[in-house]
Amino acid sequence: MARRLVVIGAGMASGRMLEHLFAAPHDWSVTLFNAEPRGTYDRLMLSPVLSGEKTYAQIVTHDADWYAARGIETRFGESVTRIDRAARIVHSAKGATPYDALVIATGSAPFIIPVPGKDLPGVVTYRDLEDTEAMIAAGLAGRNAVVIGGGLLGLEAAAGMAARGASVTVVHLMGHLMERQLDPAAGALLQRDLERRGIRVHCNGATKAILGTNRVEAVLLEDGTVIPADLVCMAVGIRPETRLATDAGLEVERGITVDDRMQTADPHIFALGECTEHRGQVFGLVAPLYRQAEVLASTLLGQPASFAPIQTATRLKVTGCDLFSAGDFSGSEDIVLAAPAGPYRRIVVNEGRIAGIVMYGDTGDGGWFYDLMKARQDIAPLRDTLIFGPAFAPQEARP
Ligand SMILES: Cc1cc2nc3c(=O)[nH]c(=O)nc-3n(C[C@H](O)[C@H](O)[C@H](O)COP(=O)(O)OP(=O)(O)OC[C@H]3O[C@@H](n4cnc5c(N)ncnc54)[C@H](O)[C@@H]3O)c2cc1C
């Protein structure tokens, strides 16, 4: 008899995992729950949907037909509410579903800052299709939109709403934009480019309250600034969606603790994607999750596989704001190439190897630097010309 595999969450990670699983012979009979009333889509591409460059239909990766063709039972629009580990059953509003193996792939939830007015109509987050449609439905042309959060997500929301004609202000708590990926110099260039396209940026801005009677009317900052707002998008961070695991008594730190095979402390339960924590690391970009997906498929196929931390690189999907960032900036030495109007390059070196990369303006060589960083290549032979990129590397020293 087939073994029963239940998957909670039809997001980017579980879609990829099921692809790998069904590429090999196996004896799993799969049931897939999803809180969203749909199958799997490329969440990264919500930004082009918001800006009007793409439609939802163009970003679908695994729809009900894809799953049905593989005999996967889909329960879209149905949240799992509880896991009964002793009975090996998951519960939803429609009843109980038994499993032999369970995969928790519930992703993340947007963090909401607990300020007065956070629940007013017109305050949205940016995570799924509903959020995106809520912003579009607000009729953005000519309206005032405030984005709280100047990270990757917030800036994509800002650019998307601006593309639909909104007058957008970004309020960011820190001194420069995308401070986790960019240093102050690159952050300033990014701010300049966003302002050139009409997006206002308010750094060092702490939100005190969201004002309004029946719906949002303005955002009040700690310094007394009042910014008029017909719509407020909160994009201040995410937290792993771990509630089911916590309630079931699984080990949860910031995310659901998994080992190198993506198994939790319960041998019948695995976790995958942004809801996980692996060796103290949590995740917010998709590249390592795709590797997790491969590893978990192998684990379920009884094949050896192991997930190891990998370096990720960030790009912003906002036209005209070309940035590349990877690694960290805490190295012992900096090599910088800068002109007042950009482009800007900074390579951080630690013990003779690239530890971090920040590029703004001309990022074409980002992949080359990134490969050197991942390979932990000794940069001594390249050092004199390193900052100028591969075209200037001595022939004999090219990797
Ligand atoms: C607008 C936007 C832009 C992004 N851009 C980038 C980018 O440029 N580069 C990058 O690397 N990453 C980007 N990301 C992040 C990327 O989308 C995530 O890392 C990825 O989607 C995480 O995959 P996941 O499968 O873990 O979670 P998700 O894709 O979030 O899927 C989790 C699913 O689980 C469902 N679920 C939750 N709880 C339950 C429950 N109890 N029962 C049933 N179902 C449940 C949810 O409804 C959801 O559909 C972006 C994210 C957003 C929102």
XYZ file of all heavy atoms in Angstrom, residues 40 130 211 216 293 335 391:
49
model
N 0.430 26.810 -6.701
C 1.728 27.449 -6.479
C 2.025 28.468 -7.574
O 1.794 28.197 -8.752
C 2.809 26.345 -6.492
O 2.403 25.320 -5.588
C 4.155 26.894 -6.061
N -3.531 38.106 -2.633
C -4.590 38.941 -2.062
C -4.054 40.328 -1.713
O -4.689 41.350 -1.961
C -5.189 38.302 -0.791
C -6.318 37.318 -1.037
C -5.830 35.989 -1.627
O -4.647 35.650 -1.411
O -6.606 35.310 -2.308
N -2.962 57.105 11.310
C -4.093 57.938 11.680
C -5.259 57.727 10.721
O -5.044 57.433 9.536
C -3.682 59.415 11.652
C -2.406 59.800 12.415
C -2.085 61.287 12.221
C -2.541 59.470 13.899
N -7.601 54.549 6.747
C -6.324 55.234 6.926
C -6.337 56.599 6.221
O -6.868 56.743 5.123
C -5.176 54.337 6.421
C -5.375 53.932 4.994
C -3.840 55.012 6.563
N 14.527 21.880 -0.951
C 13.500 21.083 -1.633
C 14.107 19.822 -2.238
O 13.542 18.729 -2.136
C 12.829 21.927 -2.713
N 37.978 47.052 -0.903
C 38.454 47.600 -2.172
C 37.243 48.302 -2.785
O 36.200 47.670 -2.991
C 38.963 46.493 -3.118
C 39.972 45.590 -2.396
C 39.601 47.109 -4.349
C 40.457 44.410 -3.234
N 37.187 41.356 -17.023
C 37.827 41.809 -18.255
C 39.262 42.265 -18.004
O 40.086 42.271 -18.920
C 37.015 42.944 -18.877
